[in-house]
Amino acid sequence: MVYVQNEHGHVLLVRNRFSKLWTLPGGFHRRGKDPRDAAIREVREETGLDISHDLHEVGQYRQSDKPHYDHIFRTDVSTTSCAEPRPQNWMSRLEIGECSWRNIRNVEHDIRLTSEALHALDLMKSVRGFEL
């Protein structure tokens, strides 16, 4: 999962077409593959943004009901230098219903988030030092 924040303090979220829940962009990486490369690819496919220039791993966590660890990355982007985020290929358009920049301070009150997104945002709160 990738926490993408713009210069206005908004975080980029994607809504899964089938669950109607919002989450951070990202996806699974194959065993033996670099999680950073997978994060860059998934964000590009789901939103069209190229985040390869400034991506940092913040941490990992494992939910008790999941067999794998999720890697959490962060990056800052300028919305003046990038196109409006949207899925880039037919596969992503089947999965992602919408991309949206949301005010990070109101995000938990405005929309319904996946449990993975809530975990990632909790991690970001501790790293960035702000309250959601």
Side-chain angles (χ1 to χ4, degrees):
M1 301 185 92
V2 183
Y3 179 94
V4 182
Q5 184 171 327
N6 69 18
E7 70 273 20
H8 305 292
H10 294 98
V11 64
L12 182 59
L13 297 172
V14 296
R15 183 183 53 79
N16 184 291
R17 185 175 298 280
F18 303 104
S19 74
K20 306 295 185 202
L21 298 176
W22 291 84
T23 191
L24 297 170
F28 294 105
H29 70 277
R30 291 178 181 81
R31 188 173 299 238
K33 299 291 184 182
D34 183 7
R36 184 180 188 282
D37 291 341
I40 291 168
R41 183 191 72 249
E42 288 287 337
V43 170
R44 186 180 314 113
E45 289 174 0
E46 292 178 4
T47 71
L49 297 180
D50 179 7
I51 59 166
S52 60
H53 62 281
D54 187 31
L55 186 66
H56 308 280
E57 186 164 2
V58 176
Q60 300 176 24
Y61 73 91
R62 182 177 170 266
Q63 295 184 62
S64 59
D65 62 334
K66 306 279 176 148
H68 61 273
Y69 283 86
D70 286 321
H71 296 261
I72 309 300
F73 295 90
R74 71 165 180 82
T75 190
D76 296 300
V77 300
S78 169
T79 52
T80 58
S81 65
C82 64
E84 187 66 27
R86 64 177 174 266
Q88 294 301 294
N89 59 43
W90 67 272
M91 274 295 262
S92 296
R93 286 190 291 275
L94 289 175
E95 175 188 1
I96 303 300
E98 187 177 357
C99 302
S100 179
W101 292 103
R102 298 292 180 133
N103 184 321
I104 190 59
R105 301 203 186 278
N106 301 327
V107 73
E108 288 186 80
H109 306 289
D110 290 347
I111 57 176
R112 292 181 46 213
L113 297 167
T114 65
S115 60
E116 293 86 0
L118 290 169
H119 283 287
L121 291 174
D122 283 343
L123 179 60
M124 289 308 302
K125 280 194 295 188
S126 67
V127 171
R128 289 235 165 155
F130 58 78
E131 289 296 319
L132 296 182

